[in-house]
Amino acid sequence: DADVTQTPRNRITKTGKRIMLECSQTKGHDRMYWYRQDPGLGLRLIYYSFDVKDINKGEISDGYSVSRQAQAKFSLSLESAIPNQTALYFCATSDSRDRAVVTQYFGPGTRLLVL
Amino acid sequence: DQQVKQNSPSLSVQEGRISILNCDYTNSMFDYFLWYKKYPAEGPTFLISISSIKDKNEDGRFTVFLNKSAKHLSLHIVPSQPGDSAVYFCAATYGGATNKLIFGTGTLLAVQP
């Protein structure tokens, strides 16, 4: 079983709709992240959470919100989807106890198309 | 402003030869660097990393070199194998407490049999 899972894997929605992308992890990590990948732009950080009560904006948080329902679950919401939010979305986790290494572990991604 | 740059969008090498992927950065505060590999329809997977206190780190066929004065790092794959064909991202971070990674735009490596 995958350590970091994302649902759905693919989603098509219409402009103005609210959608939620979900991420679950069994790694026992305390930190979780949401990124989006666009062609030619690499991965950009949307939001990150260091524990259930700690939520922080990343570099491109406008138009998005998140919820950390439990240590193992971190969801990303698009309140009113727009076409330029069409992208590949990745969830990632890391372990703050591993101070020497800042490695993040990624889920398989959700491909979102906003029409 | 792109703090981490991968100026080669793609690279093609023959099986058995060396693959060299390059990455440049602009922020001198970065103190840890990572390489990730990404296959289609999968998430990025961690490959190898290096701390700014070192100039080389090796793991099997993969070696990362860091030149702090030039703000440049490179990933060497020797020998290259067809299964190495993927997109490679370099990433950088500073201040371990934040764990925030800044990614480059990626280089698509194609290893020809």
Side-chain angles (χ1 to χ4, degrees):
Chain A
D1 287 340
D3 294 322
V4 184
T5 58
Q6 293 184 233
T7 55
R9 293 295 312 276
N10 294 279
R11 178 75 184 267
I12 300 174
T13 191
K14 295 182 178 180
T15 298
K17 293 291 187 181
R18 183 182 189 275
I19 67 161
M20 179 183 291
L21 310 182
E22 299 188 354
C23 177
S24 295
Q25 52 115 347
T26 59
K27 300 182 77 67
H29 290 173
D30 53 341
R31 299 182 172 185
M32 299 186 74
Y33 310 79
W34 275 104
Y35 291 88
R36 64 178 278 177
Q37 182 191 0
D38 298 276
L41 293 178
L43 283 79
R44 293 181 292 166
L45 183 63
I46 305 172
Y47 269 96
Y48 60 103
S49 168
F50 284 174
D51 65 35
V52 174
K53 298 180 180 178
D54 181 81
I55 303 288
N56 303 280
K57 293 183 177 180
E59 59 178 310
I60 53 164
S61 59
D62 287 349
Y64 301 95
S65 63
V66 291
S67 173
R68 185 84 183 266
Q69 301 96 323
Q71 187 182 47
K73 296 184 182 296
F74 193 35
S75 58
L76 175 72
S77 294
L78 286 68
E79 298 301 324
S80 179
I82 56 177
N84 76 1
Q85 291 177 313
T86 293
L88 191 51
Y89 289 84
F90 291 103
C91 173
T93 73
S94 68
D95 186 352
S96 66
R97 295 166 297 181
D98 195 357
R99 293 188 181 279
V101 177
V102 297
T103 306
Q104 294 180 19
Y105 299 87
F106 286 80
T110 294
R111 188 170 295 279
L112 175 65
L113 173 61
V114 183
L115 300 175
Chain B
D1 182 32
Q2 194 77 20
Q3 298 186 67
V4 179
K5 302 177 184 179
Q6 293 177 257
N7 293 316
S8 298
S10 63
L11 174 68
S12 181
V13 300
Q14 290 295 122
E15 182 178 4
R17 298 290 191 101
I18 183 172
S19 295
I20 301 176
L21 296 97
N22 294 302
C23 181
D24 297 296
Y25 62 95
T26 58
N27 192 334
S28 58
M29 297 293 290
F30 287 144
D31 59 6
Y32 207 88
F33 304 87
L34 305 90
W35 283 94
Y36 281 82
K37 179 168 73 173
K38 184 184 179 304
Y39 292 119
E42 295 184 12
T45 55
F46 171 70
L47 190 58
I48 192 169
S49 61
I50 188 167
S51 165
S52 62
I53 62 174
K54 295 185 176 181
D55 54 19
K56 177 182 174 181
N57 189 28
E58 202 169 346
D59 184 1
R61 296 186 297 114
F62 302 91
T63 303
V64 56
F65 295 93
L66 176 62
N67 182 334
K68 290 188 292 293
S69 61
K71 294 190 178 67
H72 177 83
L73 65 155
S74 60
L75 175 68
H76 293 208
I77 306 173
V78 184
S80 301
Q81 300 174 353
D84 296 330
S85 298
V87 176
Y88 289 79
F89 291 99
C90 70
T93 187
Y94 55 91
T98 67
N99 268 165
K100 291 172 66 177
L101 296 179
I102 309 299
F103 282 86
T105 53
T107 296
L108 174 61
L109 173 65
V111 180
Q112 309 296 334

